[in-house]
Amino acid sequence: MKQYDNVMIFDHPLIRHKIAILRDERTSMKEFRELVEEITMLMTFECLKDGVPTTEIEVKTPLEVCKQQVVKDDSIVIVPILRAGLGMVNGVHRMFPSAKVGHIGMYRDETTFQPQSYYCKLPCGIEDKFVVVVDPMLATGGSACDAIQLLKDKGCKNIRFMAIIGAPEGVSKVAETHPDVNVYVSTLDRGLNENCYILPGLGDAGDRLFGTK
Ligand code: PRP
Ligand code: URA
């Protein structure tokens, strides 16, 4: 895959270890959910490194008063792409519990593989926030691109996208369609099969998170 300035692929033994268990078809729904949350926490650490609005406060230690930088209240919004993106929300919340949550519903048409939007509910004032869009699977990239475009149409200017597993096709599509959006992918897989599922992937993330198959 081409290199993109706005794409970060994680190369970390802890994340690789957790992804190996996540992929395994024998991994239970409970463990799958926990792993998605843990991997998201690790990714959030990097995703929130730059660009998060901060402010200075005074803190009184037992010895003296000092000035400290903290993340500004009400500055971060998490936007999961339903359904599977829901599995990543707690991972971001564990790192920044007061983040608000907006929801975008998308499903892929089974024959065309094109994303179909069916729901959107976003916090008021989202256009001025640091927005983190989450979805564990970045396959063709259609769902991510449309969700990001929807947020831009609402006025959002500061958008990040996090996926756990990416196919080269999807990563390239998002990186090129939205060069102003930083894309964080914990691992890059080989490609897509004839049904646009990621190989080796982990199967259907929504079904594995929610036990629907
Ligand atoms: C999955 C996944 C992404 C999308 C990725 O959702 O969670 O949203 O597919 O595919 P793409 O990159 O080719 O658009 P799905 O449509 O299966 O819906 P679900 O989360 O409700 O199961
Ligand atoms: N959606 C999934 O859940 N898995 C894939 O491999 C592709 C799309």
Side-chain angles (χ1 to χ4, degrees), residues 83-84 108 135-140 165 191-193 195-207:
R83 286 176 302 166
R108 286 197 319 182
D135 190 332
M137 308 307 278
L138 178 54
T140 66
I165 298 193
L192 300 173
N193 71 7
N195 294 318
C196 289
Y197 269 79
I198 301 175
L199 294 173
L202 48 71
D204 188 301
D207 285 342

PDB file of all heavy atoms in Angstrom, residues 83-84 108 135-140 165 191-193 195-207, ligand 2:
ATOM      1  N   ARG A  83     -23.384  -0.863  13.603  1.00  0.00           N
ATOM      2  CA  ARG A  83     -23.418  -1.273  14.998  1.00  0.00           C
ATOM      3  C   ARG A  83     -22.032  -1.430  15.624  1.00  0.00           C
ATOM      4  O   ARG A  83     -21.817  -1.162  16.782  1.00  0.00           O
ATOM      5  CB  ARG A  83     -24.017  -2.691  15.106  1.00  0.00           C
ATOM      6  CG  ARG A  83     -25.432  -2.919  14.937  1.00  0.00           C
ATOM      7  CD  ARG A  83     -25.737  -4.406  15.005  1.00  0.00           C
ATOM      8  NE  ARG A  83     -25.012  -5.188  14.001  1.00  0.00           N
ATOM      9  CZ  ARG A  83     -24.917  -6.521  14.048  1.00  0.00           C
ATOM     10  NH1 ARG A  83     -25.477  -7.202  15.042  1.00  0.00           N
ATOM     11  NH2 ARG A  83     -24.270  -7.185  13.117  1.00  0.00           N
ATOM     12  N   ALA A  84     -21.112  -1.984  14.828  1.00  0.00           N
ATOM     13  CA  ALA A  84     -19.877  -2.490  15.434  1.00  0.00           C
ATOM     14  C   ALA A  84     -19.059  -1.404  16.138  1.00  0.00           C
ATOM     15  O   ALA A  84     -18.347  -1.682  17.107  1.00  0.00           O
ATOM     16  CB  ALA A  84     -19.031  -3.218  14.396  1.00  0.00           C
ATOM     17  N   ARG A 108     -23.968  -2.119   5.148  1.00  0.00           N
ATOM     18  CA  ARG A 108     -23.521  -2.319   3.763  1.00  0.00           C
ATOM     19  C   ARG A 108     -24.567  -3.125   3.015  1.00  0.00           C
ATOM     20  O   ARG A 108     -24.989  -4.179   3.485  1.00  0.00           O
ATOM     21  CB  ARG A 108     -22.204  -3.109   3.743  1.00  0.00           C
ATOM     22  CG  ARG A 108     -21.021  -2.334   4.162  1.00  0.00           C
ATOM     23  CD  ARG A 108     -19.741  -2.978   3.741  1.00  0.00           C
ATOM     24  NE  ARG A 108     -19.681  -4.432   3.873  1.00  0.00           N
ATOM     25  CZ  ARG A 108     -18.611  -5.144   3.579  1.00  0.00           C
ATOM     26  NH1 ARG A 108     -17.531  -4.559   3.114  1.00  0.00           N
ATOM     27  NH2 ARG A 108     -18.603  -6.439   3.724  1.00  0.00           N
ATOM     28  N   ASP A 135     -14.889   2.621  14.257  1.00  0.00           N
ATOM     29  CA  ASP A 135     -15.503   1.437  13.637  1.00  0.00           C
ATOM     30  C   ASP A 135     -14.399   0.388  13.575  1.00  0.00           C
ATOM     31  O   ASP A 135     -13.324   0.666  13.041  1.00  0.00           O
ATOM     32  CB  ASP A 135     -16.002   1.782  12.222  1.00  0.00           C
ATOM     33  CG  ASP A 135     -16.861   0.679  11.620  1.00  0.00           C
ATOM     34  OD1 ASP A 135     -16.668  -0.501  11.980  1.00  0.00           O
ATOM     35  OD2 ASP A 135     -17.722   1.003  10.787  1.00  0.00           O
ATOM     36  N   PRO A 136     -14.621  -0.807  14.129  1.00  0.00           N
ATOM     37  CA  PRO A 136     -13.511  -1.771  14.156  1.00  0.00           C
ATOM     38  C   PRO A 136     -13.031  -2.190  12.770  1.00  0.00           C
ATOM     39  O   PRO A 136     -11.873  -2.551  12.605  1.00  0.00           O
ATOM     40  CB  PRO A 136     -14.066  -2.977  14.917  1.00  0.00           C
ATOM     41  CG  PRO A 136     -15.463  -2.680  15.261  1.00  0.00           C
ATOM     42  CD  PRO A 136     -15.809  -1.297  14.822  1.00  0.00           C
ATOM     43  N   MET A 137     -13.919  -2.186  11.740  1.00  0.00           N
ATOM     44  CA  MET A 137     -13.554  -2.743  10.443  1.00  0.00           C
ATOM     45  C   MET A 137     -13.548  -1.666   9.356  1.00  0.00           C
ATOM     46  O   MET A 137     -14.540  -0.968   9.142  1.00  0.00           O
ATOM     47  CB  MET A 137     -14.546  -3.842  10.039  1.00  0.00           C
ATOM     48  CG  MET A 137     -14.751  -4.913  11.089  1.00  0.00           C
ATOM     49  SD  MET A 137     -13.213  -5.676  11.672  1.00  0.00           S
ATOM     50  CE  MET A 137     -12.910  -6.870  10.397  1.00  0.00           C
ATOM     51  N   LEU A 138     -12.424  -1.565   8.664  1.00  0.00           N
ATOM     52  CA  LEU A 138     -12.306  -0.648   7.523  1.00  0.00           C
ATOM     53  C   LEU A 138     -12.046  -1.536   6.308  1.00  0.00           C
ATOM     54  O   LEU A 138     -10.912  -1.949   6.062  1.00  0.00           O
ATOM     55  CB  LEU A 138     -11.145   0.320   7.798  1.00  0.00           C
ATOM     56  CG  LEU A 138     -10.788   1.355   6.737  1.00  0.00           C
ATOM     57  CD1 LEU A 138     -11.992   2.182   6.338  1.00  0.00           C
ATOM     58  CD2 LEU A 138      -9.680   2.267   7.258  1.00  0.00           C
ATOM     59  N   ALA A 139     -13.119  -1.876   5.589  1.00  0.00           N
ATOM     60  CA  ALA A 139     -13.005  -2.858   4.495  1.00  0.00           C
ATOM     61  C   ALA A 139     -12.858  -2.144   3.148  1.00  0.00           C
ATOM     62  O   ALA A 139     -11.741  -1.865   2.719  1.00  0.00           O
ATOM     63  CB  ALA A 139     -14.205  -3.796   4.542  1.00  0.00           C
ATOM     64  N   THR A 140     -13.974  -1.811   2.473  1.00  0.00           N
ATOM     65  CA  THR A 140     -13.854  -1.029   1.226  1.00  0.00           C
ATOM     66  C   THR A 140     -13.614   0.442   1.538  1.00  0.00           C
ATOM     67  O   THR A 140     -13.198   1.202   0.676  1.00  0.00           O
ATOM     68  CB  THR A 140     -15.144  -1.117   0.386  1.00  0.00           C
ATOM     69  OG1 THR A 140     -16.205  -0.474   1.117  1.00  0.00           O
ATOM     70  CG2 THR A 140     -15.539  -2.551   0.098  1.00  0.00           C
ATOM     71  N   ILE A 165      -9.070  -3.151  12.397  1.00  0.00           N
ATOM     72  CA  ILE A 165      -8.471  -3.875  11.261  1.00  0.00           C
ATOM     73  C   ILE A 165      -8.797  -3.139   9.968  1.00  0.00           C
ATOM     74  O   ILE A 165      -9.962  -2.779   9.717  1.00  0.00           O
ATOM     75  CB  ILE A 165      -8.991  -5.318  11.196  1.00  0.00           C
ATOM     76  CG1 ILE A 165      -8.570  -6.054  12.477  1.00  0.00           C
ATOM     77  CG2 ILE A 165      -8.450  -6.034   9.950  1.00  0.00           C
ATOM     78  CD1 ILE A 165      -8.717  -7.533  12.456  1.00  0.00           C
ATOM     79  N   GLY A 191      -6.213  -8.055   2.338  1.00  0.00           N
ATOM     80  CA  GLY A 191      -7.131  -7.559   1.300  1.00  0.00           C
ATOM     81  C   GLY A 191      -8.552  -7.975   1.590  1.00  0.00           C
ATOM     82  O   GLY A 191      -8.893  -8.270   2.743  1.00  0.00           O
ATOM     83  N   LEU A 192      -9.363  -8.013   0.538  1.00  0.00           N
ATOM     84  CA  LEU A 192     -10.789  -8.314   0.677  1.00  0.00           C
ATOM     85  C   LEU A 192     -11.134  -9.568  -0.125  1.00  0.00           C
ATOM     86  O   LEU A 192     -10.526  -9.807  -1.175  1.00  0.00           O
ATOM     87  CB  LEU A 192     -11.620  -7.148   0.131  1.00  0.00           C
ATOM     88  CG  LEU A 192     -11.427  -5.780   0.792  1.00  0.00           C
ATOM     89  CD1 LEU A 192     -12.201  -4.708   0.028  1.00  0.00           C
ATOM     90  CD2 LEU A 192     -11.886  -5.822   2.245  1.00  0.00           C
ATOM     91  N   ASN A 193     -12.139 -10.323   0.347  1.00  0.00           N
ATOM     92  CA  ASN A 193     -12.599 -11.461  -0.465  1.00  0.00           C
ATOM     93  C   ASN A 193     -13.727 -11.006  -1.391  1.00  0.00           C
ATOM     94  O   ASN A 193     -14.038  -9.814  -1.467  1.00  0.00           O
ATOM     95  CB  ASN A 193     -12.993 -12.662   0.420  1.00  0.00           C
ATOM     96  CG  ASN A 193     -14.283 -12.424   1.206  1.00  0.00           C
ATOM     97  OD1 ASN A 193     -14.971 -11.421   1.005  1.00  0.00           O
ATOM     98  ND2 ASN A 193     -14.599 -13.340   2.096  1.00  0.00           N
ATOM     99  N   ASN A 195     -16.782 -11.126  -1.111  1.00  0.00           N
ATOM    100  CA  ASN A 195     -17.907 -10.482  -0.405  1.00  0.00           C
ATOM    101  C   ASN A 195     -17.464  -9.237   0.349  1.00  0.00           C
ATOM    102  O   ASN A 195     -18.150  -8.759   1.245  1.00  0.00           O
ATOM    103  CB  ASN A 195     -18.542 -11.468   0.578  1.00  0.00           C
ATOM    104  CG  ASN A 195     -19.193 -12.626  -0.150  1.00  0.00           C
ATOM    105  OD1 ASN A 195     -19.848 -12.418  -1.167  1.00  0.00           O
ATOM    106  ND2 ASN A 195     -18.985 -13.836   0.343  1.00  0.00           N
ATOM    107  N   CYS A 196     -16.279  -8.761  -0.020  1.00  0.00           N
ATOM    108  CA  CYS A 196     -15.718  -7.558   0.623  1.00  0.00           C
ATOM    109  C   CYS A 196     -15.509  -7.736   2.122  1.00  0.00           C
ATOM    110  O   CYS A 196     -15.630  -6.779   2.896  1.00  0.00           O
ATOM    111  CB  CYS A 196     -16.551  -6.313   0.321  1.00  0.00           C
ATOM    112  SG  CYS A 196     -16.367  -5.804  -1.392  1.00  0.00           S
ATOM    113  N   TYR A 197     -15.222  -8.957   2.541  1.00  0.00           N
ATOM    114  CA  TYR A 197     -14.791  -9.200   3.925  1.00  0.00           C
ATOM    115  C   TYR A 197     -13.267  -9.156   3.972  1.00  0.00           C
ATOM    116  O   TYR A 197     -12.593  -9.573   3.026  1.00  0.00           O
ATOM    117  CB  TYR A 197     -15.303 -10.562   4.438  1.00  0.00           C
ATOM    118  CG  TYR A 197     -16.654 -10.404   5.108  1.00  0.00           C
ATOM    119  CD1 TYR A 197     -17.811 -10.293   4.348  1.00  0.00           C
ATOM    120  CD2 TYR A 197     -16.756 -10.315   6.488  1.00  0.00           C
ATOM    121  CE1 TYR A 197     -19.045 -10.102   4.948  1.00  0.00           C
ATOM    122  CE2 TYR A 197     -17.991 -10.120   7.101  1.00  0.00           C
ATOM    123  CZ  TYR A 197     -19.129 -10.013   6.325  1.00  0.00           C
ATOM    124  OH  TYR A 197     -20.342  -9.809   6.934  1.00  0.00           O
ATOM    125  N   ILE A 198     -12.743  -8.659   5.092  1.00  0.00           N
ATOM    126  CA  ILE A 198     -11.294  -8.494   5.219  1.00  0.00           C
ATOM    127  C   ILE A 198     -10.635  -9.857   5.467  1.00  0.00           C
ATOM    128  O   ILE A 198     -11.125 -10.664   6.281  1.00  0.00           O
ATOM    129  CB  ILE A 198     -10.967  -7.521   6.374  1.00  0.00           C
ATOM    130  CG1 ILE A 198     -11.611  -6.148   6.114  1.00  0.00           C
ATOM    131  CG2 ILE A 198      -9.457  -7.379   6.551  1.00  0.00           C
ATOM    132  CD1 ILE A 198     -11.450  -5.139   7.242  1.00  0.00           C
ATOM    133  N   LEU A 199      -9.503 -10.088   4.775  1.00  0.00           N
ATOM    134  CA  LEU A 199      -8.723 -11.322   4.939  1.00  0.00           C
ATOM    135  C   LEU A 199      -7.363 -11.019   5.544  1.00  0.00           C
ATOM    136  O   LEU A 199      -6.693 -10.097   5.054  1.00  0.00           O
ATOM    137  CB  LEU A 199      -8.528 -12.005   3.572  1.00  0.00           C
ATOM    138  CG  LEU A 199      -9.801 -12.525   2.908  1.00  0.00           C
ATOM    139  CD1 LEU A 199      -9.502 -13.007   1.493  1.00  0.00           C
ATOM    140  CD2 LEU A 199     -10.419 -13.649   3.737  1.00  0.00           C
ATOM    141  N   PRO A 200      -6.873 -11.730   6.556  1.00  0.00           N
ATOM    142  CA  PRO A 200      -7.602 -12.780   7.263  1.00  0.00           C
ATOM    143  C   PRO A 200      -8.723 -12.252   8.156  1.00  0.00           C
ATOM    144  O   PRO A 200      -9.653 -12.996   8.467  1.00  0.00           O
ATOM    145  CB  PRO A 200      -6.509 -13.457   8.095  1.00  0.00           C
ATOM    146  CG  PRO A 200      -5.470 -12.409   8.302  1.00  0.00           C
ATOM    147  CD  PRO A 200      -5.493 -11.557   7.072  1.00  0.00           C
ATOM    148  N   GLY A 201      -8.674 -11.008   8.576  1.00  0.00           N
ATOM    149  CA  GLY A 201      -9.779 -10.385   9.299  1.00  0.00           C
ATOM    150  C   GLY A 201     -10.171 -11.078  10.584  1.00  0.00           C
ATOM    151  O   GLY A 201      -9.349 -11.744  11.237  1.00  0.00           O
ATOM    152  N   LEU A 202     -11.438 -10.922  10.928  1.00  0.00           N
ATOM    153  CA  LEU A 202     -11.966 -11.584  12.118  1.00  0.00           C
ATOM    154  C   LEU A 202     -13.422 -11.976  11.922  1.00  0.00           C
ATOM    155  O   LEU A 202     -14.119 -12.332  12.858  1.00  0.00           O
ATOM    156  CB  LEU A 202     -11.804 -10.688  13.361  1.00  0.00           C
ATOM    157  CG  LEU A 202     -12.236  -9.218  13.277  1.00  0.00           C
ATOM    158  CD1 LEU A 202     -13.720  -9.057  13.208  1.00  0.00           C
ATOM    159  CD2 LEU A 202     -11.667  -8.458  14.463  1.00  0.00           C
ATOM    160  N   GLY A 203     -13.900 -11.868  10.669  1.00  0.00           N
ATOM    161  CA  GLY A 203     -15.304 -12.175  10.395  1.00  0.00           C
ATOM    162  C   GLY A 203     -16.137 -10.918  10.514  1.00  0.00           C
ATOM    163  O   GLY A 203     -15.658  -9.813  10.266  1.00  0.00           O
ATOM    164  N   ASP A 204     -17.395 -11.096  10.911  1.00  0.00           N
ATOM    165  CA  ASP A 204     -18.312  -9.963  11.029  1.00  0.00           C
ATOM    166  C   ASP A 204     -18.222  -9.400  12.451  1.00  0.00           C
ATOM    167  O   ASP A 204     -18.638 -10.039  13.423  1.00  0.00           O
ATOM    168  CB  ASP A 204     -19.740 -10.419  10.720  1.00  0.00           C
ATOM    169  CG  ASP A 204     -20.694  -9.248  10.631  1.00  0.00           C
ATOM    170  OD1 ASP A 204     -20.824  -8.487  11.640  1.00  0.00           O
ATOM    171  OD2 ASP A 204     -21.313  -9.068   9.573  1.00  0.00           O
ATOM    172  N   ALA A 205     -17.658  -8.215  12.564  1.00  0.00           N
ATOM    173  CA  ALA A 205     -17.398  -7.643  13.896  1.00  0.00           C
ATOM    174  C   ALA A 205     -18.692  -7.432  14.679  1.00  0.00           C
ATOM    175  O   ALA A 205     -18.749  -7.716  15.887  1.00  0.00           O
ATOM    176  CB  ALA A 205     -16.645  -6.330  13.746  1.00  0.00           C
ATOM    177  N   GLY A 206     -19.735  -6.964  14.007  1.00  0.00           N
ATOM    178  CA  GLY A 206     -21.017  -6.726  14.689  1.00  0.00           C
ATOM    179  C   GLY A 206     -21.583  -8.027  15.250  1.00  0.00           C
ATOM    180  O   GLY A 206     -21.999  -8.090  16.415  1.00  0.00           O
ATOM    181  N   ASP A 207     -21.567  -9.070  14.449  1.00  0.00           N
ATOM    182  CA  ASP A 207     -22.090 -10.363  14.911  1.00  0.00           C
ATOM    183  C   ASP A 207     -21.274 -10.894  16.083  1.00  0.00           C
ATOM    184  O   ASP A 207     -21.823 -11.449  17.039  1.00  0.00           O
ATOM    185  CB  ASP A 207     -22.057 -11.388  13.767  1.00  0.00           C
ATOM    186  CG  ASP A 207     -23.165 -11.133  12.740  1.00  0.00           C
ATOM    187  OD1 ASP A 207     -24.127 -10.413  13.067  1.00  0.00           O
ATOM    188  OD2 ASP A 207     -23.049 -11.641  11.617  1.00  0.00           O
TER     189      ASP A 207
HETATM  190  N1  URA B   2     -17.450  -5.803   8.105  1.00  0.00           N
HETATM  191  C1  URA B   2     -17.054  -6.733   9.006  1.00  0.00           C
HETATM  192  O1  URA B   2     -17.622  -6.842  10.095  1.00  0.00           O
HETATM  193  N2  URA B   2     -16.020  -7.526   8.674  1.00  0.00           N
HETATM  194  C2  URA B   2     -15.378  -7.428   7.504  1.00  0.00           C
HETATM  195  O2  URA B   2     -14.428  -8.194   7.272  1.00  0.00           O
HETATM  196  C3  URA B   2     -15.812  -6.461   6.584  1.00  0.00           C
HETATM  197  C4  URA B   2     -16.856  -5.656   6.912  1.00  0.00           C
END
